[in-house]
Amino acid sequence: MAGRRRQAVSAIVLGFFLSVLLLTHLTSQPYTSDRLPKWQSPFRETNIPSVLPLPLEYSQCESEGECPSGICTDLFSANYIRQLVNNSQSYCEDGAPSDITCFHTKIDSKSARIDSFCIARGAHFDVSSTKYILTCPRRDDRKEDRAGLKIPLERMHRYWYMTGPIYIFTQFIQLEAKAPLAPSDLPASSRGSLSTYISSSPPPRFQLLVKREGCANLWHSLMEIWSTSMTFDALRLAPDPKNPEQPLFRHPFDSQDTQVVILDDHPDGPYFDLWKMFAQREPVRLKDLLVGQQFGVRALEAEMAPNIIIPLAGGSNPLWQNDWVDRPDCIYSPTLQVFARRVLEFYNIVGPEAEIIAQKDIINPAITLTFIDRRQTRRLVNQTALLMALGAAVPEFIQLNIQAVDFAEYPFDEQLRIAHATDVLVGVHGAGLTHAIFMKGDTNDWTGGGVVVELQPEALRSQWDGGTHEGPGHVGFKNLARMLALGYRRIAVREVVPADGDDEQKKNYSWQTNDVAVDEEEFVGVLSGVVQQVWEKRQRASLSGQ
């Protein structure tokens, strides 16, 4: 009898425990931003510091009181990030279940364009429409004040390749005045599926919504990723309106609970891993969010994205402003240098081991010249013979390693290692020269350190401006080199129109596709002089023990 009583008591206790556990699952609510502190994810930290500083490089000159002034400081220092933080705009009424805050900046005084990024909280993902739902009764933001950097949501700038916040808002986000259903209001069968999902895979606190321009062009890809990096820096500085003691995004803690959602259908491409810089969870595609979640009820996936971040577009990157305006005083670029360092650290290319390698370079001062070997368009005629002539012209006492590299044949981490070990980077104008971002510069003398040599087609040596031919021509890589404390030389090359094909076909060729040719004497003379310059600087460093 006593044994049966003990069994009965045990059964009651077990039943009570299971009932509480089941009730907890069945009453799970969508945890939008105001409920987040109540839910402890295994990915989340407690006792988080209130504000984490930006990298020292952003503010070093300010602490020394010697910050340069001018447009380059406005575009490529913490000033650019602060302007974003200081120009925030809320688009939902106070007390709304969701909120949208966008941050604006204006980088070109001659243009009406305003660049923006946004963070939205209290989002719900709707399977049936494949859109994020925001319950956001709108503020009256119809009055446009571009001087004050206040613009209606619908008037945000539209960038090429259908990118940027307004395109994402239009295609992937839906604003509603009425809140969607909570799981407790759903059929029991759906609630059970949802509770199983929650317990097996805790959802991220943040989702970064990314619509890429493409996947294969290094320049375009890096502009997007760099702009995203500055987006997160601004969020690390911007105070949370609901808790001004805290920033909107706390790195590295919130990075552990963030996921990148790819909205486009482009292949991953060689630079895809760089998106993992912002989130420790694996990136997913929007279509993958639907797999196994076909409940057919609106907002059931609300748990998947309580906060969504819509970053600055790649087309908004300040570096695009440098293509046609020569900026000889633009030698201060903390945002670019910080970004380059972050990428190299992400692939473990810089760090203590890299410093050891640098010391070995001083002991063995060999010069590495990397020629970008283009295989499709803008190929250099007689490139092999030209490189052999260069090797023969360099004095024997200079240790020169010449390598022709098709970067497309290597994974991106190997491309970075090649670029970082390169002293002289040579190539016909194109995205391959973007690898200069990861070369070693000389912060004391921009003509020292590494050197970029651009073989530039004639069409780029005159500015495109309503058919006129004025200005310095394309100087984007010249400005880039200067900002990175690299030397720069430009060699003029002529376009070679193919002999085969009819006249109509020949007309369709352009500098973007034509092969190029260069005078051997000029090619060898310029490059041998550059090699001599780098070698002499390496020798001085070796003798001084630096």
Side-chain angles (χ1 to χ4, degrees):
M1 190 62 142
R4 289 181 181 175
R5 187 177 292 111
R6 283 195 298 271
Q7 291 177 354
V9 172
S10 298
I12 291 172
V13 172
L14 180 60
F16 176 78
F17 175 79
L18 292 175
S19 298
V20 171
L21 182 61
L22 179 61
L23 183 62
T24 300
H25 281 306
L26 292 179
T27 56
S28 296
Q29 297 290 319
Y31 47 95
T32 49
S33 56
D34 57 337
R35 295 192 181 99
L36 280 168
K38 302 176 183 178
W39 190 83
Q40 294 299 320
S41 162
F43 295 96
R44 269 171 219 149
E45 297 279 350
T46 56
N47 300 320
I48 298 173
S50 57
V51 176
L52 294 172
L54 287 174
L56 178 62
E57 294 91 332
Y58 281 134
S59 56
Q60 186 173 11
C61 79
E62 295 169 357
S63 63
E64 297 172 355
E66 298 179 355
C67 276
S69 60
I71 187 172
C72 287
T73 300
D74 293 338
L75 296 183
F76 302 110
S77 77
N79 288 4
Y80 175 80
I81 296 170
R82 288 196 189 92
Q83 186 182 51
L84 284 163
V85 172
N86 294 335
N87 290 283
S88 63
Q89 183 175 1
S90 179
Y91 288 89
C92 302
E93 293 181 355
D94 292 337
S98 304
D99 65 74
I100 303 171
T101 303
C102 297
F103 299 83
H104 310 302
T105 187
K106 194 170 185 290
I107 62 176
D108 185 357
S109 59
K110 298 179 181 178
S111 170
R113 189 185 93 188
I114 292 176
D115 300 310
S116 311
F117 79 87
C118 304
I119 181 171
R121 300 190 288 186
H124 304 263
F125 186 72
D126 178 12
V127 170
S128 60
S129 66
T130 64
K131 288 188 176 183
Y132 292 87
I133 309 299
L134 293 169
T135 307
C136 174
R138 294 285 296 278
R139 291 177 183 267
D140 184 8
D141 60 358
R142 290 170 293 180
K143 293 183 179 179
E144 186 172 314
D145 179 12
R146 289 188 171 265
L149 297 185
K150 303 293 183 183
I151 54 174
L153 201 63
E154 294 77 12
R155 297 296 299 276
M156 288 186 183
H157 188 73
R158 297 178 182 271
Y159 299 89
W160 48 45
Y161 306 104
M162 296 185 292
T163 60
I166 187 56
Y167 179 82
I168 293 177
F169 270 107
T170 302
Q171 298 296 320
F172 301 100
I173 296 174
Q174 182 173 327
L175 305 185
E176 292 190 348
K178 184 179 178 181
L181 294 174
S184 57
D185 300 323
L186 302 176
S189 60
S190 295
R191 293 202 305 269
S193 299
L194 178 60
S195 61
T196 300
Y197 173 75
I198 291 176
S199 62
S200 62
S201 178
R205 185 182 184 195
F206 292 91
Q207 283 192 340
L208 173 69
L209 305 188
V210 174
K211 170 68 172 62
R212 298 172 298 165
E213 298 175 9
C215 66
N217 185 286
L218 177 60
W219 175 272
H220 285 262
S221 294
L222 286 183
M223 293 304 101
E224 292 178 313
I225 295 164
W226 179 15
S227 292
T228 300
S229 180
M230 292 189 288
T231 296
F232 277 96
D233 285 340
L235 289 173
R236 288 166 59 184
L237 281 183
D240 185 341
K242 294 186 177 182
N243 184 6
E245 300 276 326
Q246 297 280 346
L248 281 169
F249 191 88
R250 296 164 294 188
H251 177 77
F253 308 104
D254 284 333
S255 300
Q256 299 171 18
D257 211 0
T258 300
Q259 190 164 47
V260 177
V261 179
I262 303 297
L263 304 177
D264 59 73
D265 294 322
H266 300 303
D268 287 357
Y271 318 114
F272 190 76
D273 279 350
L274 282 172
W275 293 107
K276 298 177 184 178
M277 290 172 57
F278 311 110
Q280 292 193 14
R281 296 188 180 219
E282 286 294 312
V284 296
R285 293 183 179 269
L286 181 64
K287 60 184 179 182
D288 295 333
L289 296 182
L290 309 178
V291 177
Q293 305 298 326
Q294 302 297 336
F295 301 110
V297 182
R298 170 165 290 190
L300 197 55
E301 285 71 28
E303 284 74 4
M304 298 187 67
N307 303 303
I308 55 179
I309 298 170
I310 306 166
L312 289 160
S316 73
N317 196 289
L319 204 56
W320 283 108
Q321 302 299 309
N322 272 4
D323 280 355
W324 299 99
V325 179
D326 193 6
R327 303 190 191 279
D329 58 342
C330 197
I331 57 175
Y332 180 69
S333 57
T335 55
L336 176 58
Q337 293 167 356
V338 168
F339 173 65
R341 179 83 182 185
R342 286 173 175 171
V343 172
L344 292 170
E345 287 178 345
F346 178 75
Y347 287 102
N348 296 316
I349 294 173
V350 297
E353 293 183 3
E355 299 301 326
I356 295 174
I357 294 173
Q359 292 299 321
K360 289 181 179 179
D361 284 344
I362 295 176
I363 298 172
N364 180 24
I367 306 300
T368 297
L369 183 148
T370 300
F371 180 85
I372 301 172
D373 186 11
R374 299 181 63 95
R375 301 289 179 86
Q376 302 295 326
T377 59
R378 277 171 273 157
R379 296 167 299 186
L380 178 63
V381 176
N382 295 328
Q383 112 182 0
T384 301
L386 289 168
L387 293 176
M388 289 180 65
L390 171 62
V394 172
E396 292 184 0
F397 60 82
I398 295 180
Q399 302 174 48
L400 176 64
N401 300 323
I402 299 177
Q403 56 184 2
V405 175
D406 178 8
F407 281 112
E409 292 185 345
Y410 296 90
F412 187 55
D413 61 337
E414 188 60 28
Q415 294 181 35
L416 291 173
R417 289 184 175 86
I418 294 171
H420 196 59
T422 293
D423 298 295
V424 182
L425 182 66
V426 185
V428 179
H429 174 92
L433 288 171
T434 311
H435 289 90
I437 291 176
F438 307 106
M439 293 174 63
K440 301 169 188 172
D442 185 334
T443 55
N444 298 315
D445 177 5
W446 80 271
T447 61
V451 179
V452 178
V453 181
E454 178 182 7
L455 309 181
Q456 194 175 80
E458 182 180 2
L460 293 174
R461 295 196 297 277
S462 57
Q463 184 156 0
W464 300 337
D465 184 11
T468 63
H469 298 281
E470 301 176 354
H474 189 283
V475 289
F477 289 113
K478 179 180 182 181
N479 286 328
L480 179 67
R482 186 183 288 120
M483 291 166 63
L484 293 164
L486 298 168
Y488 174 86
R489 293 296 300 271
R490 177 168 62 177
I491 299 177
V493 295
R494 58 186 181 277
E495 299 169 38
V496 179
V497 179
D500 55 342
D502 56 33
D503 291 339
E504 188 61 32
Q505 288 176 318
K506 292 178 182 179
K507 262 197 257 182
N508 292 330
Y509 284 99
S510 71
W511 70 267
Q512 293 178 313
T513 56
N514 288 344
D515 290 343
V516 299
V518 64
D519 178 75
E520 179 179 316
E521 183 177 353
E522 181 180 10
F523 181 85
V524 171
V526 170
L527 287 179
S528 60
V530 166
V531 169
Q532 179 89 14
Q533 168 193 322
V534 174
W535 181 82
E536 290 174 354
K537 190 168 188 64
R538 184 74 59 80
Q539 286 292 104
R540 289 196 298 271
S542 178
L543 292 174
S544 63
Q546 295 179 354

